[in-house]
Amino acid sequence: MLFSILQIAGDAGTSVAAVPQQEVVSYSLLEMAAKGGWLMLVLLALSIVAIYLFGKKWWMIRKAGTIDRNFMKDVNEMIHDGKIKSAEELCRRYDTPISRLVGKGIEKAGHPLGDIQTSLENTANIEVASLEKGLPMLATIAGGAPMIGFLGTVMGMIQAFFNMANAGNNIDITLLSGGIYTAMVTTVGGLIVGILAYFGYNYLTSRISDLTLMMESYSIALMDILGEQAQAGKTGEAERTK
């Protein structure tokens, strides 16, 4: 009996050992992306455009917000000394939205303050519009990329059901794998591109809002300087007429 038990255990061990090990299949990120089909090329193009727009606008906004903290102090001293041309040259030397805004106000020095205020507002609107150029495209990518991914999902599921319908009674899981890969991979790709573009758009929008507040503060400071200069001019003229 002991011999029989040992023989059965040996046969069981032999049968277990004879079972082949299942091979583990792994895909690289590039190979997995290729499973998504031609829609992944569209998403790749959109991601390149989004990265280009974000980098370009980020650098432009960063450069626009960089200005010497003594800029308005120097402008104030030049205006009080009557060096209007020097103040205008200083603004042209910096060549930023803030300096161009201040320079436009200095050019209108001597005009009524209401006209100067209107000129500053128009200049500020032009500068902000220039900074916002390209952001609608980034917002479009943020909303459109997930929709393209969902389109790939629908196309993949249609392909899977089409393969099932043509297979008849010989349905195999491999018939569904192609469609399922297309459905899942394009969805993930579209969401990744859309999420990154969405966060990038909101970040750039917040930076532009901060820069707009800076421009408003500088325009108010310039109006105060020009108002003091105009008041001083009126006082001096009144004293000369006495």
Side-chain angles (χ1 to χ4, degrees):
M1 182 176 180
L2 180 59
F3 175 75
S4 299
I5 295 175
L6 293 176
Q7 186 178 7
I8 293 174
D11 293 341
T14 303
S15 61
V16 172
V19 176
Q21 295 293 329
Q22 185 176 3
E23 183 180 357
V24 178
V25 180
S26 61
Y27 293 102
S28 66
L29 186 61
L30 184 60
E31 291 174 340
M32 188 174 295
K35 297 291 184 179
W38 63 271
L39 283 177
M40 294 300 293
L41 297 177
V42 178
L43 293 175
L44 176 62
L46 291 179
S47 65
I48 293 174
V49 174
I51 292 173
Y52 169 76
L53 288 175
F54 178 81
K56 179 181 178 181
K57 302 308 296 185
W58 176 82
W59 177 255
M60 183 183 298
I61 295 171
R62 181 177 181 274
K63 182 180 179 182
T66 303
I67 193 166
D68 191 350
R69 64 180 61 186
N70 295 324
F71 171 70
M72 285 306 298
K73 179 181 178 181
D74 295 337
V75 169
N76 187 15
E77 292 177 354
M78 290 178 181
I79 291 177
H80 279 290
D81 293 341
K83 301 178 180 179
I84 303 298
K85 295 297 182 182
S86 298
E88 293 178 358
E89 179 62 28
L90 179 64
C91 295
R92 284 192 293 267
R93 193 185 315 148
Y94 278 100
D95 192 25
T96 63
I98 293 176
S99 65
R100 287 192 291 268
L101 176 68
V102 175
K104 189 66 176 179
I106 295 175
E107 290 178 4
K108 297 293 183 177
H111 290 75
L113 294 180
D115 296 342
I116 298 176
Q117 181 67 32
T118 302
S119 179
L120 290 176
E121 291 177 354
N122 294 335
T123 304
N125 291 333
I126 293 174
E127 294 293 343
V128 172
S130 177
L131 292 173
E132 291 178 343
K133 186 178 180 181
L135 290 185
M137 175 61 71
L138 194 60
T140 302
I141 294 175
M147 296 178 66
I148 294 176
F150 294 146
L151 174 62
T153 301
V154 175
M155 292 176 61
M157 298 307 297
I158 291 175
Q159 179 183 350
F161 284 113
F162 179 79
N163 293 337
M164 289 176 60
N166 289 337
N169 294 328
N170 300 321
I171 297 177
D172 189 358
I173 191 62
T174 57
L175 296 175
L176 307 178
S177 60
I180 294 175
Y181 266 122
T182 301
M184 296 297 101
V185 171
T186 53
T187 301
V188 172
L191 288 175
I192 290 175
V193 176
I195 290 171
L196 293 178
Y198 178 75
F199 281 108
Y201 171 80
N202 285 328
Y203 173 77
L204 294 177
T205 302
S206 64
R207 290 292 304 274
I208 292 176
S209 298
D210 294 340
L211 186 57
T212 302
L213 292 177
M214 288 180 59
M215 295 173 66
E216 290 179 358
S217 64
Y218 275 86
S219 63
I220 292 173
L222 178 63
M223 289 297 297
D224 292 339
I225 295 173
L226 295 178
E228 293 175 359
Q229 187 71 9
Q231 186 65 30
K234 291 180 180 179
T235 301
E237 184 179 355
E239 292 178 354
R240 288 193 298 269
T241 55
K242 289 182 179 180

